[in-house]
PDB file of all heavy atoms in Angstrom:
ATOM      1  N   VAL A 231     -27.166   5.884  -4.277  1.00  0.00           N
ATOM      2  CA  VAL A 231     -26.233   4.758  -4.248  1.00  0.00           C
ATOM      3  C   VAL A 231     -25.331   4.851  -3.021  1.00  0.00           C
ATOM      4  O   VAL A 231     -25.065   3.848  -2.351  1.00  0.00           O
ATOM      5  CB  VAL A 231     -25.404   4.711  -5.543  1.00  0.00           C
ATOM      6  CG1 VAL A 231     -24.372   3.584  -5.488  1.00  0.00           C
ATOM      7  CG2 VAL A 231     -26.308   4.534  -6.756  1.00  0.00           C
ATOM      8  N   ARG A 234     -27.242   3.659  -0.061  1.00  0.00           N
ATOM      9  CA  ARG A 234     -27.354   2.194  -0.026  1.00  0.00           C
ATOM     10  C   ARG A 234     -26.029   1.573   0.406  1.00  0.00           C
ATOM     11  O   ARG A 234     -26.019   0.581   1.149  1.00  0.00           O
ATOM     12  CB  ARG A 234     -27.790   1.667  -1.388  1.00  0.00           C
ATOM     13  CG  ARG A 234     -29.238   2.019  -1.748  1.00  0.00           C
ATOM     14  CD  ARG A 234     -29.574   1.597  -3.166  1.00  0.00           C
ATOM     15  NE  ARG A 234     -29.469   0.153  -3.330  1.00  0.00           N
ATOM     16  CZ  ARG A 234     -29.522  -0.454  -4.510  1.00  0.00           C
ATOM     17  NH1 ARG A 234     -29.657   0.264  -5.632  1.00  0.00           N
ATOM     18  NH2 ARG A 234     -29.438  -1.770  -4.581  1.00  0.00           N
ATOM     19  N   PHE A 235     -24.925   2.151  -0.042  1.00  0.00           N
ATOM     20  CA  PHE A 235     -23.630   1.639   0.393  1.00  0.00           C
ATOM     21  C   PHE A 235     -23.455   1.886   1.898  1.00  0.00           C
ATOM     22  O   PHE A 235     -22.966   1.011   2.625  1.00  0.00           O
ATOM     23  CB  PHE A 235     -22.502   2.303  -0.390  1.00  0.00           C
ATOM     24  CG  PHE A 235     -21.132   1.864   0.066  1.00  0.00           C
ATOM     25  CD1 PHE A 235     -20.639   0.617  -0.275  1.00  0.00           C
ATOM     26  CD2 PHE A 235     -20.351   2.705   0.848  1.00  0.00           C
ATOM     27  CE1 PHE A 235     -19.387   0.207   0.163  1.00  0.00           C
ATOM     28  CE2 PHE A 235     -19.088   2.307   1.283  1.00  0.00           C
ATOM     29  CZ  PHE A 235     -18.609   1.049   0.936  1.00  0.00           C
ATOM     30  N   ALA A 237     -25.733   1.956   4.071  1.00  0.00           N
ATOM     31  CA  ALA A 237     -26.551   0.960   4.772  1.00  0.00           C
ATOM     32  C   ALA A 237     -25.817  -0.375   4.878  1.00  0.00           C
ATOM     33  O   ALA A 237     -25.917  -1.072   5.903  1.00  0.00           O
ATOM     34  CB  ALA A 237     -27.882   0.785   4.048  1.00  0.00           C
ATOM     35  N   LEU A 238     -25.069  -0.739   3.836  1.00  0.00           N
ATOM     36  CA  LEU A 238     -24.249  -1.949   3.911  1.00  0.00           C
ATOM     37  C   LEU A 238     -23.169  -1.817   4.979  1.00  0.00           C
ATOM     38  O   LEU A 238     -22.880  -2.773   5.709  1.00  0.00           O
ATOM     39  CB  LEU A 238     -23.605  -2.223   2.551  1.00  0.00           C
ATOM     40  CG  LEU A 238     -24.476  -2.828   1.458  1.00  0.00           C
ATOM     41  CD1 LEU A 238     -23.699  -2.892   0.141  1.00  0.00           C
ATOM     42  CD2 LEU A 238     -24.930  -4.227   1.857  1.00  0.00           C
ATOM     43  N   VAL A 239     -22.582  -0.634   5.069  1.00  0.00           N
ATOM     44  CA  VAL A 239     -21.565  -0.402   6.091  1.00  0.00           C
ATOM     45  C   VAL A 239     -22.186  -0.511   7.484  1.00  0.00           C
ATOM     46  O   VAL A 239     -21.600  -1.126   8.398  1.00  0.00           O
ATOM     47  CB  VAL A 239     -20.897   0.974   5.900  1.00  0.00           C
ATOM     48  CG1 VAL A 239     -19.950   1.288   7.059  1.00  0.00           C
ATOM     49  CG2 VAL A 239     -20.139   1.019   4.581  1.00  0.00           C
ATOM     50  N   ARG A 241     -24.662  -2.260   8.353  1.00  0.00           N
ATOM     51  CA  ARG A 241     -25.016  -3.657   8.630  1.00  0.00           C
ATOM     52  C   ARG A 241     -23.789  -4.529   8.882  1.00  0.00           C
ATOM     53  O   ARG A 241     -23.827  -5.426   9.724  1.00  0.00           O
ATOM     54  CB  ARG A 241     -25.823  -4.219   7.454  1.00  0.00           C
ATOM     55  CG  ARG A 241     -26.277  -5.648   7.651  1.00  0.00           C
ATOM     56  CD  ARG A 241     -27.145  -6.105   6.514  1.00  0.00           C
ATOM     57  NE  ARG A 241     -27.572  -7.489   6.673  1.00  0.00           N
ATOM     58  CZ  ARG A 241     -28.292  -8.159   5.789  1.00  0.00           C
ATOM     59  NH1 ARG A 241     -28.706  -7.548   4.670  1.00  0.00           N
ATOM     60  NH2 ARG A 241     -28.636  -9.417   5.999  1.00  0.00           N
ATOM     61  N   HIS A 242     -22.713  -4.287   8.127  1.00  0.00           N
ATOM     62  CA  HIS A 242     -21.561  -5.205   8.167  1.00  0.00           C
ATOM     63  C   HIS A 242     -20.293  -4.583   8.751  1.00  0.00           C
ATOM     64  O   HIS A 242     -19.312  -5.291   8.943  1.00  0.00           O
ATOM     65  CB  HIS A 242     -21.248  -5.704   6.755  1.00  0.00           C
ATOM     66  CG  HIS A 242     -22.377  -6.450   6.107  1.00  0.00           C
ATOM     67  ND1 HIS A 242     -22.695  -7.743   6.451  1.00  0.00           N
ATOM     68  CD2 HIS A 242     -23.275  -6.068   5.151  1.00  0.00           C
ATOM     69  CE1 HIS A 242     -23.731  -8.145   5.724  1.00  0.00           C
ATOM     70  NE2 HIS A 242     -24.102  -7.153   4.936  1.00  0.00           N
ATOM     71  N   ARG A 245     -17.976  -5.965  11.812  1.00  0.00           N
ATOM     72  CA  ARG A 245     -17.348  -7.284  11.831  1.00  0.00           C
ATOM     73  C   ARG A 245     -15.886  -7.229  12.265  1.00  0.00           C
ATOM     74  O   ARG A 245     -15.386  -8.181  12.847  1.00  0.00           O
ATOM     75  CB  ARG A 245     -17.454  -7.922  10.441  1.00  0.00           C
ATOM     76  CG  ARG A 245     -18.856  -8.358  10.083  1.00  0.00           C
ATOM     77  CD  ARG A 245     -18.835  -9.297   8.894  1.00  0.00           C
ATOM     78  NE  ARG A 245     -20.165  -9.655   8.474  1.00  0.00           N
ATOM     79  CZ  ARG A 245     -20.423 -10.572   7.549  1.00  0.00           C
ATOM     80  NH1 ARG A 245     -19.413 -11.213   6.957  1.00  0.00           N
ATOM     81  NH2 ARG A 245     -21.656 -10.863   7.201  1.00  0.00           N
ATOM     82  N   VAL A 368     -15.996  -3.899   4.442  1.00  0.00           N
ATOM     83  CA  VAL A 368     -17.048  -4.484   3.613  1.00  0.00           C
ATOM     84  C   VAL A 368     -16.479  -5.309   2.459  1.00  0.00           C
ATOM     85  O   VAL A 368     -17.240  -5.971   1.741  1.00  0.00           O
ATOM     86  CB  VAL A 368     -17.991  -3.397   3.055  1.00  0.00           C
ATOM     87  CG1 VAL A 368     -18.791  -2.759   4.177  1.00  0.00           C
ATOM     88  CG2 VAL A 368     -17.229  -2.347   2.272  1.00  0.00           C
ATOM     89  N   LEU A 369     -15.165  -5.278   2.267  1.00  0.00           N
ATOM     90  CA  LEU A 369     -14.539  -6.102   1.240  1.00  0.00           C
ATOM     91  C   LEU A 369     -13.797  -7.293   1.841  1.00  0.00           C
ATOM     92  O   LEU A 369     -13.269  -8.122   1.104  1.00  0.00           O
ATOM     93  CB  LEU A 369     -13.559  -5.266   0.405  1.00  0.00           C
ATOM     94  CG  LEU A 369     -14.131  -4.048  -0.308  1.00  0.00           C
ATOM     95  CD1 LEU A 369     -13.046  -3.337  -1.102  1.00  0.00           C
ATOM     96  CD2 LEU A 369     -15.291  -4.444  -1.225  1.00  0.00           C
ATOM     97  N   HIS A 371     -15.074  -9.665   3.779  1.00  0.00           N
ATOM     98  CA  HIS A 371     -15.932 -10.823   3.974  1.00  0.00           C
ATOM     99  C   HIS A 371     -16.751 -11.014   2.701  1.00  0.00           C
ATOM    100  O   HIS A 371     -17.222 -10.050   2.092  1.00  0.00           O
ATOM    101  CB  HIS A 371     -16.848 -10.626   5.180  1.00  0.00           C
ATOM    102  CG  HIS A 371     -16.087 -10.346   6.454  1.00  0.00           C
ATOM    103  ND1 HIS A 371     -15.634 -11.341   7.285  1.00  0.00           N
ATOM    104  CD2 HIS A 371     -15.683  -9.180   7.012  1.00  0.00           C
ATOM    105  CE1 HIS A 371     -14.984 -10.809   8.304  1.00  0.00           C
ATOM    106  NE2 HIS A 371     -15.008  -9.494   8.168  1.00  0.00           N
ATOM    107  N   ASP A 372     -16.945 -12.260   2.304  1.00  0.00           N
ATOM    108  CA  ASP A 372     -17.483 -12.555   0.974  1.00  0.00           C
ATOM    109  C   ASP A 372     -18.877 -12.005   0.744  1.00  0.00           C
ATOM    110  O   ASP A 372     -19.170 -11.457  -0.329  1.00  0.00           O
ATOM    111  CB  ASP A 372     -17.487 -14.067   0.736  1.00  0.00           C
ATOM    112  CG  ASP A 372     -16.095 -14.637   0.527  1.00  0.00           C
ATOM    113  OD1 ASP A 372     -15.179 -13.843   0.229  1.00  0.00           O
ATOM    114  OD2 ASP A 372     -15.925 -15.863   0.661  1.00  0.00           O
ATOM    115  N   ASP A 373     -19.778 -12.129   1.721  1.00  0.00           N
ATOM    116  CA  ASP A 373     -21.159 -11.722   1.460  1.00  0.00           C
ATOM    117  C   ASP A 373     -21.300 -10.217   1.266  1.00  0.00           C
ATOM    118  O   ASP A 373     -21.908  -9.783   0.264  1.00  0.00           O
ATOM    119  CB  ASP A 373     -22.116 -12.263   2.533  1.00  0.00           C
ATOM    120  CG  ASP A 373     -21.621 -12.028   3.945  1.00  0.00           C
ATOM    121  OD1 ASP A 373     -20.401 -11.887   4.139  1.00  0.00           O
ATOM    122  OD2 ASP A 373     -22.462 -11.982   4.873  1.00  0.00           O
ATOM    123  N   PRO A 374     -20.747  -9.355   2.133  1.00  0.00           N
ATOM    124  CA  PRO A 374     -20.865  -7.918   1.821  1.00  0.00           C
ATOM    125  C   PRO A 374     -20.076  -7.525   0.584  1.00  0.00           C
ATOM    126  O   PRO A 374     -20.496  -6.617  -0.143  1.00  0.00           O
ATOM    127  CB  PRO A 374     -20.311  -7.231   3.071  1.00  0.00           C
ATOM    128  CG  PRO A 374     -19.485  -8.247   3.760  1.00  0.00           C
ATOM    129  CD  PRO A 374     -20.106  -9.557   3.457  1.00  0.00           C
ATOM    130  N   ARG A 375     -18.949  -8.207   0.324  1.00  0.00           N
ATOM    131  CA  ARG A 375     -18.175  -7.862  -0.880  1.00  0.00           C
ATOM    132  C   ARG A 375     -18.991  -8.104  -2.141  1.00  0.00           C
ATOM    133  O   ARG A 375     -18.968  -7.298  -3.082  1.00  0.00           O
ATOM    134  CB  ARG A 375     -16.870  -8.657  -0.918  1.00  0.00           C
ATOM    135  CG  ARG A 375     -16.049  -8.406  -2.189  1.00  0.00           C
ATOM    136  CD  ARG A 375     -14.672  -9.017  -2.088  1.00  0.00           C
ATOM    137  NE  ARG A 375     -14.703 -10.433  -1.803  1.00  0.00           N
ATOM    138  CZ  ARG A 375     -14.907 -11.383  -2.715  1.00  0.00           C
ATOM    139  NH1 ARG A 375     -15.124 -11.049  -3.968  1.00  0.00           N
ATOM    140  NH2 ARG A 375     -14.907 -12.655  -2.375  1.00  0.00           N
ATOM    141  N   ARG A 376     -19.710  -9.212  -2.189  1.00  0.00           N
ATOM    142  CA  ARG A 376     -20.550  -9.478  -3.366  1.00  0.00           C
ATOM    143  C   ARG A 376     -21.658  -8.439  -3.495  1.00  0.00           C
ATOM    144  O   ARG A 376     -22.005  -8.008  -4.611  1.00  0.00           O
ATOM    145  CB  ARG A 376     -21.126 -10.891  -3.283  1.00  0.00           C
ATOM    146  CG  ARG A 376     -20.110 -11.981  -3.573  1.00  0.00           C
ATOM    147  CD  ARG A 376     -20.784 -13.317  -3.755  1.00  0.00           C
ATOM    148  NE  ARG A 376     -21.346 -13.822  -2.502  1.00  0.00           N
ATOM    149  CZ  ARG A 376     -20.707 -14.643  -1.673  1.00  0.00           C
ATOM    150  NH1 ARG A 376     -19.478 -15.064  -1.974  1.00  0.00           N
ATOM    151  NH2 ARG A 376     -21.289 -15.073  -0.571  1.00  0.00           N
ATOM    152  N   ARG A 377     -22.219  -7.999  -2.366  1.00  0.00           N
ATOM    153  CA  ARG A 377     -23.268  -6.970  -2.423  1.00  0.00           C
ATOM    154  C   ARG A 377     -22.689  -5.634  -2.897  1.00  0.00           C
ATOM    155  O   ARG A 377     -23.323  -4.920  -3.681  1.00  0.00           O
ATOM    156  CB  ARG A 377     -23.911  -6.822  -1.047  1.00  0.00           C
ATOM    157  CG  ARG A 377     -24.780  -8.000  -0.648  1.00  0.00           C
ATOM    158  CD  ARG A 377     -25.479  -7.745   0.691  1.00  0.00           C
ATOM    159  NE  ARG A 377     -26.426  -8.806   1.003  1.00  0.00           N
ATOM    160  CZ  ARG A 377     -26.133  -9.900   1.699  1.00  0.00           C
ATOM    161  NH1 ARG A 377     -24.893 -10.064   2.151  1.00  0.00           N
ATOM    162  NH2 ARG A 377     -27.038 -10.817   1.944  1.00  0.00           N
ATOM    163  N   VAL A 378     -21.497  -5.299  -2.422  1.00  0.00           N
ATOM    164  CA  VAL A 378     -20.839  -4.063  -2.878  1.00  0.00           C
ATOM    165  C   VAL A 378     -20.566  -4.139  -4.366  1.00  0.00           C
ATOM    166  O   VAL A 378     -20.802  -3.172  -5.108  1.00  0.00           O
ATOM    167  CB  VAL A 378     -19.531  -3.846  -2.091  1.00  0.00           C
ATOM    168  CG1 VAL A 378     -18.693  -2.742  -2.735  1.00  0.00           C
ATOM    169  CG2 VAL A 378     -19.834  -3.493  -0.642  1.00  0.00           C
ATOM    170  N   GLN A 379     -20.077  -5.269  -4.826  1.00  0.00           N
ATOM    171  CA  GLN A 379     -19.772  -5.442  -6.244  1.00  0.00           C
ATOM    172  C   GLN A 379     -21.011  -5.247  -7.100  1.00  0.00           C
ATOM    173  O   GLN A 379     -20.981  -4.585  -8.136  1.00  0.00           O
ATOM    174  CB  GLN A 379     -19.201  -6.842  -6.468  1.00  0.00           C
ATOM    175  CG  GLN A 379     -18.792  -7.133  -7.893  1.00  0.00           C
ATOM    176  CD  GLN A 379     -18.177  -8.528  -8.016  1.00  0.00           C
ATOM    177  OE1 GLN A 379     -17.772  -9.122  -7.030  1.00  0.00           O
ATOM    178  NE2 GLN A 379     -18.116  -9.028  -9.224  1.00  0.00           N
ATOM    179  N   SER A 380     -22.126  -5.808  -6.660  1.00  0.00           N
ATOM    180  CA  SER A 380     -23.372  -5.667  -7.405  1.00  0.00           C
ATOM    181  C   SER A 380     -23.891  -4.233  -7.358  1.00  0.00           C
ATOM    182  O   SER A 380     -24.301  -3.668  -8.385  1.00  0.00           O
ATOM    183  CB  SER A 380     -24.419  -6.628  -6.836  1.00  0.00           C
ATOM    184  OG  SER A 380     -25.671  -6.447  -7.441  1.00  0.00           O
ATOM    185  N   LEU A 381     -23.872  -3.626  -6.185  1.00  0.00           N
ATOM    186  CA  LEU A 381     -24.388  -2.262  -6.032  1.00  0.00           C
ATOM    187  C   LEU A 381     -23.613  -1.270  -6.880  1.00  0.00           C
ATOM    188  O   LEU A 381     -24.211  -0.393  -7.529  1.00  0.00           O
ATOM    189  CB  LEU A 381     -24.307  -1.858  -4.558  1.00  0.00           C
ATOM    190  CG  LEU A 381     -24.657  -0.402  -4.230  1.00  0.00           C
ATOM    191  CD1 LEU A 381     -26.110  -0.106  -4.574  1.00  0.00           C
ATOM    192  CD2 LEU A 381     -24.370  -0.101  -2.767  1.00  0.00           C
ATOM    193  N   LEU A 382     -22.282  -1.398  -6.912  1.00  0.00           N
ATOM    194  CA  LEU A 382     -21.448  -0.426  -7.609  1.00  0.00           C
ATOM    195  C   LEU A 382     -21.158  -0.820  -9.047  1.00  0.00           C
ATOM    196  O   LEU A 382     -20.490  -0.082  -9.765  1.00  0.00           O
ATOM    197  CB  LEU A 382     -20.132  -0.223  -6.840  1.00  0.00           C
ATOM    198  CG  LEU A 382     -20.278   0.214  -5.377  1.00  0.00           C
ATOM    199  CD1 LEU A 382     -18.908   0.480  -4.773  1.00  0.00           C
ATOM    200  CD2 LEU A 382     -21.161   1.447  -5.251  1.00  0.00           C
ATOM    201  N   GLY A 383     -21.636  -1.977  -9.461  1.00  0.00           N
ATOM    202  CA  GLY A 383     -21.468  -2.394 -10.851  1.00  0.00           C
ATOM    203  C   GLY A 383     -20.028  -2.662 -11.241  1.00  0.00           C
ATOM    204  O   GLY A 383     -19.620  -2.344 -12.356  1.00  0.00           O
ATOM    205  N   LEU A 384     -19.274  -3.263 -10.321  1.00  0.00           N
ATOM    206  CA  LEU A 384     -17.863  -3.538 -10.600  1.00  0.00           C
ATOM    207  C   LEU A 384     -17.697  -4.951 -11.139  1.00  0.00           C
ATOM    208  O   LEU A 384     -18.295  -5.892 -10.632  1.00  0.00           O
ATOM    209  CB  LEU A 384     -17.033  -3.390  -9.323  1.00  0.00           C
ATOM    210  CG  LEU A 384     -16.883  -1.965  -8.777  1.00  0.00           C
ATOM    211  CD1 LEU A 384     -16.316  -2.008  -7.368  1.00  0.00           C
ATOM    212  CD2 LEU A 384     -16.002  -1.134  -9.686  1.00  0.00           C
ATOM    213  N   GLY A 386     -15.541  -8.483 -11.849  1.00  0.00           N
ATOM    214  CA  GLY A 386     -14.486  -9.222 -11.163  1.00  0.00           C
ATOM    215  C   GLY A 386     -14.493  -8.995  -9.663  1.00  0.00           C
ATOM    216  O   GLY A 386     -15.505  -9.146  -8.999  1.00  0.00           O
ATOM    217  N   PRO A 388     -13.709  -6.330  -6.509  1.00  0.00           N
ATOM    218  CA  PRO A 388     -13.345  -5.005  -6.013  1.00  0.00           C
ATOM    219  C   PRO A 388     -12.250  -5.124  -4.957  1.00  0.00           C
ATOM    220  O   PRO A 388     -12.268  -6.031  -4.131  1.00  0.00           O
ATOM    221  CB  PRO A 388     -14.649  -4.486  -5.402  1.00  0.00           C
ATOM    222  CG  PRO A 388     -15.437  -5.712  -5.061  1.00  0.00           C
ATOM    223  CD  PRO A 388     -15.035  -6.765  -6.057  1.00  0.00           C
ATOM    224  N   VAL A 391     -12.942   0.380  -1.866  1.00  0.00           N
ATOM    225  CA  VAL A 391     -14.024   1.358  -1.837  1.00  0.00           C
ATOM    226  C   VAL A 391     -13.620   2.358  -0.758  1.00  0.00           C
ATOM    227  O   VAL A 391     -13.309   1.972   0.377  1.00  0.00           O
ATOM    228  CB  VAL A 391     -15.395   0.747  -1.512  1.00  0.00           C
ATOM    229  CG1 VAL A 391     -16.461   1.838  -1.538  1.00  0.00           C
ATOM    230  CG2 VAL A 391     -15.752  -0.360  -2.487  1.00  0.00           C
TER     231      VAL A 391
END
Side-chain angles (χ1 to χ4, degrees):
V231 177
R234 290 174 62 190
F235 177 75
L238 283 174
V239 173
R241 182 176 179 183
H242 300 284
R245 289 195 184 187
V368 293
L369 302 181
H371 303 272
D372 288 342
D373 48 335
R375 177 170 56 81
R376 286 192 291 266
R377 289 184 174 91
V378 168
Q379 182 178 342
S380 175
L381 173 63
L382 303 184
L384 291 167
V391 181

